[in-house]
PDB file of all heavy atoms in Angstrom:
ATOM      1  N   GLU A 133      -2.472  12.309  -7.295  1.00  0.00           N
ATOM      2  CA  GLU A 133      -2.945  13.703  -7.382  1.00  0.00           C
ATOM      3  C   GLU A 133      -4.244  13.855  -6.589  1.00  0.00           C
ATOM      4  O   GLU A 133      -5.345  13.831  -7.140  1.00  0.00           O
ATOM      5  CB  GLU A 133      -3.122  14.108  -8.847  1.00  0.00           C
ATOM      6  CG  GLU A 133      -1.811  14.248  -9.589  1.00  0.00           C
ATOM      7  CD  GLU A 133      -0.873  15.296  -8.969  1.00  0.00           C
ATOM      8  OE1 GLU A 133      -1.364  16.302  -8.414  1.00  0.00           O
ATOM      9  OE2 GLU A 133       0.355  15.076  -9.028  1.00  0.00           O
ATOM     10  N   TYR A 134      -4.090  14.032  -5.273  1.00  0.00           N
ATOM     11  CA  TYR A 134      -5.259  13.975  -4.386  1.00  0.00           C
ATOM     12  C   TYR A 134      -6.246  15.113  -4.575  1.00  0.00           C
ATOM     13  O   TYR A 134      -7.446  14.896  -4.454  1.00  0.00           O
ATOM     14  CB  TYR A 134      -4.808  13.843  -2.928  1.00  0.00           C
ATOM     15  CG  TYR A 134      -4.398  12.414  -2.657  1.00  0.00           C
ATOM     16  CD1 TYR A 134      -3.063  12.031  -2.682  1.00  0.00           C
ATOM     17  CD2 TYR A 134      -5.357  11.425  -2.472  1.00  0.00           C
ATOM     18  CE1 TYR A 134      -2.693  10.711  -2.501  1.00  0.00           C
ATOM     19  CE2 TYR A 134      -5.001  10.097  -2.294  1.00  0.00           C
ATOM     20  CZ  TYR A 134      -3.670   9.752  -2.300  1.00  0.00           C
ATOM     21  OH  TYR A 134      -3.318   8.439  -2.146  1.00  0.00           O
ATOM     22  N   ASP A 135      -5.779  16.326  -4.860  1.00  0.00           N
ATOM     23  CA  ASP A 135      -6.750  17.427  -5.024  1.00  0.00           C
ATOM     24  C   ASP A 135      -7.674  17.140  -6.216  1.00  0.00           C
ATOM     25  O   ASP A 135      -8.895  17.281  -6.113  1.00  0.00           O
ATOM     26  CB  ASP A 135      -6.027  18.762  -5.207  1.00  0.00           C
ATOM     27  CG  ASP A 135      -5.433  19.263  -3.889  1.00  0.00           C
ATOM     28  OD1 ASP A 135      -5.773  18.702  -2.814  1.00  0.00           O
ATOM     29  OD2 ASP A 135      -4.611  20.203  -3.931  1.00  0.00           O
ATOM     30  N   GLU A 136      -7.096  16.701  -7.328  1.00  0.00           N
ATOM     31  CA  GLU A 136      -7.895  16.394  -8.514  1.00  0.00           C
ATOM     32  C   GLU A 136      -8.795  15.182  -8.265  1.00  0.00           C
ATOM     33  O   GLU A 136      -9.964  15.171  -8.654  1.00  0.00           O
ATOM     34  CB  GLU A 136      -6.989  16.119  -9.719  1.00  0.00           C
ATOM     35  CG  GLU A 136      -6.350  17.368 -10.335  1.00  0.00           C
ATOM     36  CD  GLU A 136      -5.108  17.857  -9.593  1.00  0.00           C
ATOM     37  OE1 GLU A 136      -4.815  17.332  -8.481  1.00  0.00           O
ATOM     38  OE2 GLU A 136      -4.442  18.764 -10.106  1.00  0.00           O
ATOM     39  N   LEU A 137      -8.234  14.164  -7.618  1.00  0.00           N
ATOM     40  CA  LEU A 137      -9.034  12.953  -7.364  1.00  0.00           C
ATOM     41  C   LEU A 137     -10.164  13.237  -6.381  1.00  0.00           C
ATOM     42  O   LEU A 137     -11.254  12.669  -6.489  1.00  0.00           O
ATOM     43  CB  LEU A 137      -8.135  11.827  -6.855  1.00  0.00           C
ATOM     44  CG  LEU A 137      -7.164  11.262  -7.906  1.00  0.00           C
ATOM     45  CD1 LEU A 137      -6.123  10.361  -7.248  1.00  0.00           C
ATOM     46  CD2 LEU A 137      -7.924  10.493  -8.993  1.00  0.00           C
ATOM     47  N   ARG A 138      -9.919  14.115  -5.432  1.00  0.00           N
ATOM     48  CA  ARG A 138     -10.977  14.515  -4.491  1.00  0.00           C
ATOM     49  C   ARG A 138     -12.134  15.145  -5.260  1.00  0.00           C
ATOM     50  O   ARG A 138     -13.312  14.845  -5.010  1.00  0.00           O
ATOM     51  CB  ARG A 138     -10.391  15.496  -3.459  1.00  0.00           C
ATOM     52  CG  ARG A 138     -11.403  16.229  -2.622  1.00  0.00           C
ATOM     53  CD  ARG A 138     -12.263  15.298  -1.797  1.00  0.00           C
ATOM     54  NE  ARG A 138     -11.530  14.677  -0.711  1.00  0.00           N
ATOM     55  CZ  ARG A 138     -12.001  13.640   0.008  1.00  0.00           C
ATOM     56  NH1 ARG A 138     -13.178  13.110  -0.282  1.00  0.00           N
ATOM     57  NH2 ARG A 138     -11.306  13.128   0.983  1.00  0.00           N
ATOM     58  N   ALA A 139     -11.814  16.019  -6.201  1.00  0.00           N
ATOM     59  CA  ALA A 139     -12.865  16.675  -6.991  1.00  0.00           C
ATOM     60  C   ALA A 139     -13.654  15.638  -7.806  1.00  0.00           C
ATOM     61  O   ALA A 139     -14.880  15.704  -7.891  1.00  0.00           O
ATOM     62  CB  ALA A 139     -12.245  17.730  -7.911  1.00  0.00           C
ATOM     63  N   VAL A 140     -12.946  14.669  -8.380  1.00  0.00           N
ATOM     64  CA  VAL A 140     -13.599  13.618  -9.177  1.00  0.00           C
ATOM     65  C   VAL A 140     -14.537  12.799  -8.286  1.00  0.00           C
ATOM     66  O   VAL A 140     -15.695  12.533  -8.645  1.00  0.00           O
ATOM     67  CB  VAL A 140     -12.534  12.695  -9.835  1.00  0.00           C
ATOM     68  CG1 VAL A 140     -13.177  11.451 -10.438  1.00  0.00           C
ATOM     69  CG2 VAL A 140     -11.742  13.461 -10.886  1.00  0.00           C
ATOM     70  N   ALA A 141     -14.051  12.411  -7.112  1.00  0.00           N
ATOM     71  CA  ALA A 141     -14.865  11.583  -6.207  1.00  0.00           C
ATOM     72  C   ALA A 141     -16.075  12.376  -5.713  1.00  0.00           C
ATOM     73  O   ALA A 141     -17.209  11.878  -5.744  1.00  0.00           O
ATOM     74  CB  ALA A 141     -14.015  11.102  -5.029  1.00  0.00           C
ATOM     75  N   ASP A 142     -15.843  13.620  -5.279  1.00  0.00           N
ATOM     76  CA  ASP A 142     -16.932  14.444  -4.730  1.00  0.00           C
ATOM     77  C   ASP A 142     -18.034  14.672  -5.760  1.00  0.00           C
ATOM     78  O   ASP A 142     -19.219  14.626  -5.425  1.00  0.00           O
ATOM     79  CB  ASP A 142     -16.389  15.790  -4.237  1.00  0.00           C
ATOM     80  CG  ASP A 142     -15.678  15.666  -2.898  1.00  0.00           C
ATOM     81  OD1 ASP A 142     -15.639  14.544  -2.329  1.00  0.00           O
ATOM     82  OD2 ASP A 142     -15.149  16.685  -2.407  1.00  0.00           O
ATOM     83  N   ALA A 143     -17.621  14.911  -7.009  1.00  0.00           N
ATOM     84  CA  ALA A 143     -18.614  15.200  -8.052  1.00  0.00           C
ATOM     85  C   ALA A 143     -19.563  14.020  -8.242  1.00  0.00           C
ATOM     86  O   ALA A 143     -20.704  14.193  -8.670  1.00  0.00           O
ATOM     87  CB  ALA A 143     -17.906  15.528  -9.366  1.00  0.00           C
ATOM     88  N   ALA A 146     -18.804   9.852  -4.443  1.00  0.00           N
ATOM     89  CA  ALA A 146     -18.053   8.630  -4.105  1.00  0.00           C
ATOM     90  C   ALA A 146     -17.047   8.924  -2.998  1.00  0.00           C
ATOM     91  O   ALA A 146     -16.647  10.073  -2.798  1.00  0.00           O
ATOM     92  CB  ALA A 146     -17.327   8.115  -5.348  1.00  0.00           C
ATOM     93  N   VAL A 147     -16.635   7.885  -2.288  1.00  0.00           N
ATOM     94  CA  VAL A 147     -15.576   8.074  -1.293  1.00  0.00           C
ATOM     95  C   VAL A 147     -14.225   7.989  -2.004  1.00  0.00           C
ATOM     96  O   VAL A 147     -14.072   7.304  -3.020  1.00  0.00           O
ATOM     97  CB  VAL A 147     -15.617   7.043  -0.137  1.00  0.00           C
ATOM     98  CG1 VAL A 147     -16.896   7.149   0.657  1.00  0.00           C
ATOM     99  CG2 VAL A 147     -15.387   5.634  -0.634  1.00  0.00           C
ATOM    100  N   LEU A 148     -13.257   8.694  -1.438  1.00  0.00           N
ATOM    101  CA  LEU A 148     -11.887   8.635  -1.949  1.00  0.00           C
ATOM    102  C   LEU A 148     -11.083   7.729  -1.020  1.00  0.00           C
ATOM    103  O   LEU A 148     -10.999   7.979   0.188  1.00  0.00           O
ATOM    104  CB  LEU A 148     -11.291  10.045  -1.997  1.00  0.00           C
ATOM    105  CG  LEU A 148      -9.857  10.162  -2.532  1.00  0.00           C
ATOM    106  CD1 LEU A 148      -9.728   9.598  -3.946  1.00  0.00           C
ATOM    107  CD2 LEU A 148      -9.402  11.634  -2.498  1.00  0.00           C
ATOM    108  N   SER A 167      -3.946  11.672   5.597  1.00  0.00           N
ATOM    109  CA  SER A 167      -4.880  12.781   5.830  1.00  0.00           C
ATOM    110  C   SER A 167      -5.506  13.241   4.516  1.00  0.00           C
ATOM    111  O   SER A 167      -6.198  14.255   4.487  1.00  0.00           O
ATOM    112  CB  SER A 167      -4.142  13.963   6.480  1.00  0.00           C
ATOM    113  OG  SER A 167      -3.249  14.552   5.552  1.00  0.00           O
ATOM    114  N   LEU A 168      -5.256  12.501   3.419  1.00  0.00           N
ATOM    115  CA  LEU A 168      -5.618  12.999   2.092  1.00  0.00           C
ATOM    116  C   LEU A 168      -6.903  12.378   1.538  1.00  0.00           C
ATOM    117  O   LEU A 168      -7.483  12.901   0.599  1.00  0.00           O
ATOM    118  CB  LEU A 168      -4.468  12.710   1.111  1.00  0.00           C
ATOM    119  CG  LEU A 168      -3.111  13.318   1.516  1.00  0.00           C
ATOM    120  CD1 LEU A 168      -1.978  12.674   0.725  1.00  0.00           C
ATOM    121  CD2 LEU A 168      -3.120  14.824   1.296  1.00  0.00           C
ATOM    122  N   ALA A 169      -7.328  11.264   2.110  1.00  0.00           N
ATOM    123  CA  ALA A 169      -8.477  10.528   1.564  1.00  0.00           C
ATOM    124  C   ALA A 169      -9.480  10.247   2.684  1.00  0.00           C
ATOM    125  O   ALA A 169      -9.207  10.479   3.859  1.00  0.00           O
ATOM    126  CB  ALA A 169      -7.987   9.219   0.942  1.00  0.00           C
ATOM    127  N   ASP A 170     -10.650   9.715   2.300  1.00  0.00           N
ATOM    128  CA  ASP A 170     -11.657   9.356   3.305  1.00  0.00           C
ATOM    129  C   ASP A 170     -11.228   8.110   4.074  1.00  0.00           C
ATOM    130  O   ASP A 170     -11.599   7.929   5.240  1.00  0.00           O
ATOM    131  CB  ASP A 170     -13.007   9.104   2.631  1.00  0.00           C
ATOM    132  CG  ASP A 170     -13.519  10.359   1.935  1.00  0.00           C
ATOM    133  OD1 ASP A 170     -13.526  11.424   2.584  1.00  0.00           O
ATOM    134  OD2 ASP A 170     -13.867  10.287   0.749  1.00  0.00           O
ATOM    135  N   LEU A 171     -10.494   7.249   3.377  1.00  0.00           N
ATOM    136  CA  LEU A 171      -9.979   6.023   3.997  1.00  0.00           C
ATOM    137  C   LEU A 171      -8.599   5.779   3.387  1.00  0.00           C
ATOM    138  O   LEU A 171      -8.471   5.770   2.160  1.00  0.00           O
ATOM    139  CB  LEU A 171     -10.896   4.827   3.694  1.00  0.00           C
ATOM    140  CG  LEU A 171     -12.314   4.927   4.270  1.00  0.00           C
ATOM    141  CD1 LEU A 171     -13.353   4.590   3.213  1.00  0.00           C
ATOM    142  CD2 LEU A 171     -12.484   4.008   5.471  1.00  0.00           C
TER     143      LEU A 171
END
Side-chain angles (χ1 to χ4, degrees):
E133 290 301 328
Y134 282 98
D135 286 348
E136 285 81 351
L137 291 168
R138 167 61 71 192
V140 169
D142 283 358
V147 298
L148 181 58
S167 69
L168 302 164
D170 298 310
L171 296 132

